[in-house]
Amino acid sequence: STDVSPKSSGSSKVGTRVFQSSWKFRAGLDDVYKCLTEVNRVQAYTRSPASIDCKPGGKFSWMSGNITGEFIELVPPEKIVQKWRTSTWPKGHFSKVTMTIERVDGGC
């Protein structure tokens, strides 16, 4: 991760970081994409209530409202861009999450 200067979020400063992670799944592109965008699959994966309006500008809520946000960009089945936040972050503070789904040997 990379340190980034604190940003103002309302009346408080929030330290931020750039974080990158890579995961491999033995699944097709469509399956991985759907597990991140379809309410029934998200609920099965997280084992908790979720709501999803899967379209640019659509809102989502995962893990009983502990993660909330909005879809910014959707490129099925290859890319999902969201702004999201946890319920413990200062009001109005969001992160930008970009998920790129690529085929690799043995799955995605």
Side-chain angles (χ1 to χ4, degrees):
S1 66
T2 304
D3 285 329
V4 179
S5 299
K7 296 182 181 181
S8 179
S9 178
S11 62
S12 62
K13 296 256 182 183
V14 178
T16 62
R17 295 186 182 274
V18 174
F19 175 77
Q20 185 172 348
S21 180
S22 177
W23 297 74
K24 290 185 182 179
F25 299 95
R26 290 184 182 247
L29 297 175
D30 287 326
D31 287 329
V32 174
Y33 184 88
K34 289 175 182 178
C35 282
L36 297 165
T37 59
E38 291 183 358
V39 71
N40 291 339
R41 292 185 188 216
V42 169
Q43 290 179 145
Y45 179 70
T46 63
R47 297 183 183 176
S48 62
S51 64
I52 296 174
D53 184 13
C54 189
K55 64 183 180 190
K59 308 286 187 206
F60 67 88
S61 174
W62 294 355
M63 300 182 171
S64 302
N66 286 308
I67 297 174
T68 58
E70 179 179 321
F71 290 99
I72 297 170
E73 180 182 1
L74 295 159
V75 183
E78 300 167 351
K79 184 176 181 182
I80 302 166
V81 181
Q82 302 170 319
K83 75 175 194 177
W84 65 271
R85 65 184 311 278
T86 69
S87 60
T88 62
W89 289 358
K91 184 176 181 175
H93 183 75
F94 289 84
S95 67
K96 181 178 178 183
V97 177
T98 301
M99 293 175 259
T100 304
I101 306 165
E102 301 173 327
R103 182 168 311 286
V104 296
D105 290 339
C108 294

